[in-house]
Amino acid sequence: MNSSANTKERILTAAEALFAQRGFEGASLRQLTAAAGVNLAAVNYHFGSKDNLVEEVFKRRLDQLNARRLAALRLISGQPDATLEDVLGAFIRPALDLSHDGGGGLFMRVLARAFAEHDDSLRKFLSDNYGHVMRQFTTEFARMLPHLSKEELYWRIDLVTGALTHAMSGFGIIQRKSDVSEVTHREQTAAHLIRFAAAGLSAP
């Protein structure tokens, strides 16, 4: 059982790296089996098809991310003293944690590929499986920002999400200094991004 689980995890890790580097179309099953040190039968046994493998790469990261986001949101949802910054913290901090957790940085490139390559089936998979999480946060943002129209709120949330994705990618101008720990740098990033996003969302 452990051997089978390890093989599946090895395939997922190799696939994530290949998809980040070569894209979904550019990464072949031959390259994947070589990188994972398995044969094609093992890939077919665990995933059945390349499309299923792609979806599992996303589920491995996004299931955990969104469970953490929803748990954080539940702690503050409906609380009379909850602030916009609290809701943004529930949305932003778990994502930044993911980006610094193991292959999280690679996964961010995979996520960017999904939108850059205009893969409609993958977008539908992400919307069908994870759209409810974004809807819960949108509802909470709307409750706290009643002065915004629905269209304006969507614009601003989309821009906040873009800023978060950029921060998660690690490609920004500001990089962690050698005398600053990873945890401290991540918290600094979260604090700056939350303040920035709160100002943008709450502007008239």
Side-chain angles (χ1 to χ4, degrees):
M1 185 70 175
N2 286 339
S3 176
S4 178
N6 289 340
T7 298
K8 183 176 181 179
E9 188 68 17
R10 201 161 68 245
I11 294 169
L12 286 169
T13 299
E16 186 175 71
L18 278 171
F19 293 152
Q21 180 183 13
R22 300 177 179 274
F24 304 109
E25 293 297 325
S28 70
L29 289 177
R30 176 179 292 183
Q31 292 167 337
L32 173 62
T33 55
V38 301
N39 56 35
L40 185 58
V43 177
N44 289 331
Y45 171 77
H46 287 288
F47 304 101
S49 70
K50 186 178 178 181
D51 286 344
N52 288 340
L53 171 60
V54 171
E55 291 179 2
E56 286 295 324
V57 166
F58 280 92
K59 288 182 67 176
R60 181 172 69 151
R61 302 291 185 186
L62 293 181
D63 284 358
Q64 182 183 63
L65 167 61
N66 286 307
R68 291 178 180 177
R69 276 177 161 171
L70 291 177
L73 185 62
R74 280 194 295 270
L75 290 175
I76 58 175
S77 184
Q79 296 292 327
D81 57 345
T83 65
L84 177 60
E85 287 81 1
D86 291 332
V87 179
L88 283 166
F91 183 68
I92 288 170
R93 283 196 166 89
L96 290 176
D97 288 344
L98 167 67
S99 68
H100 292 82
D101 180 17
L106 277 177
F107 177 71
M108 289 313 303
R109 298 181 204 176
V110 175
L111 189 59
R113 289 271 191 184
F115 292 94
E117 295 184 11
H118 303 290
D119 189 322
D120 291 337
S121 63
L122 184 52
R123 287 186 180 186
K124 184 177 187 305
F125 164 78
L126 293 173
S127 177
D128 290 348
N129 286 273
Y130 303 106
H132 69 285
V133 177
M134 198 65 240
R135 285 192 292 272
Q136 289 189 48
F137 274 95
T138 300
T139 297
E140 200 65 22
F141 286 134
R143 184 179 70 82
M144 293 187 161
L145 301 163
H147 66 289
L148 297 180
S149 67
K150 185 176 181 180
E151 181 180 4
E152 183 62 26
L153 177 63
Y154 282 9
W155 268 106
R156 297 188 189 191
I157 291 174
D158 197 46
L159 292 171
V160 168
T161 302
L164 173 58
T165 302
H166 179 72
M168 292 172 71
S169 72
F171 292 145
I173 295 173
I174 299 176
Q175 298 294 313
R176 180 173 66 88
K177 297 178 181 178
S178 59
D179 60 341
V180 176
S181 71
E182 189 69 57
V183 172
T184 298
H185 179 69
R186 187 160 67 245
E187 182 51 39
Q188 289 174 343
T189 302
H192 279 86
L193 183 52
I194 288 169
R195 285 198 299 271
F196 176 81
L201 286 172
S202 59

